[in-house]
């Protein structure tokens, strides 16, 4: 069992990802940390607590995190993707749980120092909490087991803009800091999540499993399915955040490459774009041209056995 912290902005697909992690015996979940992103951090925290309550996992702590990007204001989220409540406008009443008093960045530092080389951080939203933790306690670079994050687009177009993926676009300064730190880090970006589609039929199969959490997520997914039907013209959804856990469960399902990455931090056309050091600038670590010079290599998922990923999700999400 791997000790895990889930950093999240729930988010409809975050919810299914959390459900998948909770259903997987590979993980010992130390806590959830919340961040602005799909919705504001207040709602993100309410949603995280509510999901744990529905799952009857009330012992798992939730630490509230950043309310805005490092260098700008919160833009208002993406209600057209996830609903005004981040949960497909299901407007679940807030549960009876509260967040712990420790803020997210301090919780991350505390747990990594307490369990050296044992904690995996699964990041499903903007990387702001991780960037703040890193600036406060750079030692965590050496002491974290690994970071696996959903975000970025190395060799394909974006979704927030044609250039950039939503989590990177939401706080590119944080992303550039986190991708420049010397910790083992893996990017699960649109390169693979756009190749992994869970069909409406597969979701219907999952919805047959009767549990308070699954019944809630089934309702929320109706909103998410409508979005993908309208915008992406698919009868299903891309599997974004849950792919972090299918990767952690079975890495053989993914093909990876490694490159130093820079993130475009300027407020310009390609804001939030994750740039691997490609072409003539693709030298060994430390030798790449500026501004990639001395940046560590990031593991980037570039291909996926999507049939097996969907089968794995179906199996895990339909068990009692
Ligand atoms: C990412 O953006 C959010 O809308 C999703 O929750 C996911 O983390 C996909 O680009
Ligand atoms: Ca998310």
């Amino acid at each position: 069992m791997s000790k895990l912290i889930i950093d999240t902005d729930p988010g409809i697909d975050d919810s299914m990802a959390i459900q998948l992690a909770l259903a997987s015996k590979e993980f010992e979940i130390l806590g959830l940390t919340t961040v602005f992103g799909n919705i504001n951090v207040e709602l993100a925290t309410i949603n995280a607590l509510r999901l744990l309550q529905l799952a009857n996992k009330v012992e798992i702590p939730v630490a509230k995190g950043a309310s805005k990007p490092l260098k700008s204001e919160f833009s208002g989220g993406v209600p057209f993707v996830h609903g005004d409540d981040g949960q497909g406008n299901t407007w679940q009443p807030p549960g009876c749980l509260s967040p712990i008093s420790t803020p997210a960045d301090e919780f991350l530092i505390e747990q990594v120092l307490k369990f050296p080389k044992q904690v995996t951080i699964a990041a499903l939203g903007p990387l702001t909490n991780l960037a703040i933790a890193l600036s406060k306690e750079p030692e965590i670079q050496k002491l974290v087991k690994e970071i696996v994050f959903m975000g970025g687009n190395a060799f394909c177009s974006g979704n927030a803009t044609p250039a950039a993926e939503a989590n990177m676009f939401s706080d590119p300064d944080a992303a550039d800091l986190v991708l420049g730190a010397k910790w083992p880090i893996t990017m699960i970006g649109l390169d693979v999540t756009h190749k992994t589609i869970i069909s409406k039929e597969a979701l219907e199969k999952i919805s047959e499993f009767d549990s308070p959490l699954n019944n809630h997520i089934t309702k929320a997914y109706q909103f998410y399915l409508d979005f993908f039907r309208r915008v992406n013209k698919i009868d299903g959804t891309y599997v974004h955040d849950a792919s972090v856990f299918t990767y952690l469960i079975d890495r053989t399902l993914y093909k990876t490459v490694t490159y130093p990455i820079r993130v475009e931090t300027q407020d310009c056309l390609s804001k939030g774009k994750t740039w691997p050091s490609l072409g003539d600038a693709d030298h060994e670590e430390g030798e790449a041209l500026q501004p990639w010079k001395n940046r560590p290599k990031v593991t980037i998922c570039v291909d996926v056995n999507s049939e097996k990923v969907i089968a794995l999700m179906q199996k895990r999400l339909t068990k009692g």
Side-chain angles (χ1 to χ4, degrees):
M1 269 220 287
S2 189
K3 295 190 193 303
L4 182 77
I5 298 176
I6 306 176
D7 189 53
T8 174
D9 59 337
I12 299 174
D13 64 318
D14 299 69
S15 304
M16 187 175 277
I18 291 166
Q19 183 189 20
L20 178 61
L22 289 168
S24 299
K25 61 179 181 332
E26 288 84 356
F27 308 122
E28 176 198 348
I29 304 179
L30 299 176
L32 266 51
T33 52
T34 62
V35 62
F36 76 90
N38 292 323
I39 42 315
N40 66 47
V41 73
E42 312 294 333
L43 270 172
T45 309
I46 289 172
N47 291 346
L49 290 163
R50 184 75 195 154
L51 292 167
L52 292 177
Q53 193 177 330
L54 286 168
N56 200 20
K57 298 280 183 185
V58 296
E59 68 285 0
I60 297 178
V62 173
K64 187 173 157 189
S67 60
K68 63 181 205 53
L70 293 181
K71 296 189 182 168
S72 59
E73 293 308 309
F74 173 56
S75 69
V78 283
F80 49 95
V81 187
H82 294 272
D84 290 319
D85 62 351
Q87 295 288 294
N89 291 335
T90 51
W91 290 111
Q92 283 277 316
C96 55
L97 303 175
S98 306
I100 56 172
S101 57
T102 312
D105 56 290
E106 284 176 25
F107 181 78
L108 287 164
I109 294 169
E110 175 195 291
Q111 295 298 311
V112 171
L113 297 184
K114 186 169 168 193
F115 300 111
K117 309 247 185 212
Q118 294 171 62
V119 180
T120 297
I121 300 173
L124 314 180
L127 296 173
T128 320
N129 289 333
L130 273 172
I132 297 172
L134 182 66
S135 326
K136 282 193 184 169
E137 183 48 273
E139 275 298 291
I140 60 172
Q141 284 173 89
K142 289 187 218 136
L143 297 176
V144 76
K145 184 176 175 196
E146 68 173 321
I147 292 169
V148 182
F149 74 97
M150 191 283 133
N153 51 308
F155 306 103
C156 64
S157 54
N159 59 358
T161 72
E165 183 279 331
N167 290 336
M168 304 295 98
F169 183 78
S170 294
D171 194 348
D173 296 288
D176 195 47
L177 271 177
V178 168
L179 291 174
K182 293 191 167 27
W183 44 22
I185 183 162
T186 301
M187 171 171 140
I188 312 276
L190 303 182
D191 304 270
V192 285
T193 67
H194 276 187
K195 288 179 187 155
T196 314
I197 297 176
I198 187 158
S199 67
K200 187 165 165 274
E201 289 69 37
L203 287 166
E204 273 164 8
K205 269 263 160 275
I206 292 171
S207 75
E208 286 167 16
F209 176 60
D210 183 23
S211 79
L213 179 61
N214 198 47
N215 296 343
H216 163 66
I217 290 176
T218 297
K219 274 195 214 131
Y221 257 78
Q222 301 316 306
F223 190 96
Y224 206 44
L225 277 165
D226 278 349
F227 170 79
F228 282 99
R229 203 172 294 128
R230 224 174 40 245
V231 175
N232 301 94
K233 317 281 181 242
I234 56 173
D235 217 9
T237 79
Y238 294 137
V239 179
H240 292 307
D241 291 342
S243 296
V244 167
F245 299 113
T246 53
Y247 170 81
L248 281 167
I249 292 167
D250 187 353
R251 290 169 204 240
T252 67
L253 301 180
Y254 293 86
K255 180 177 167 217
T256 61
V257 296
T258 60
Y259 287 100
I261 290 184
R262 292 305 310 248
V263 184
E264 177 57 79
T265 55
Q266 301 302 306
D267 194 4
C268 64
L269 201 63
S270 60
K271 174 184 163 190
K273 161 72 183 151
T274 44
W275 286 112
S277 63
L278 293 173
D280 291 345
D282 175 27
H283 302 292
E284 280 306 296
E285 186 165 332
E287 290 177 3
L289 301 183
Q290 291 289 9
W292 283 264
K293 197 172 166 63
N294 293 327
R295 299 272 294 190
K297 286 192 172 180
V298 173
T299 301
I300 307 169
C301 290
V302 289
D303 210 355
V304 53
N305 184 332
S306 58
E307 265 175 44
K308 284 197 175 163
V309 167
I310 302 299
L312 173 63
M313 287 176 67
Q314 276 191 298
K315 192 167 169 206
R316 295 289 169 104
L317 294 173
T318 48
K319 75 171 194 215

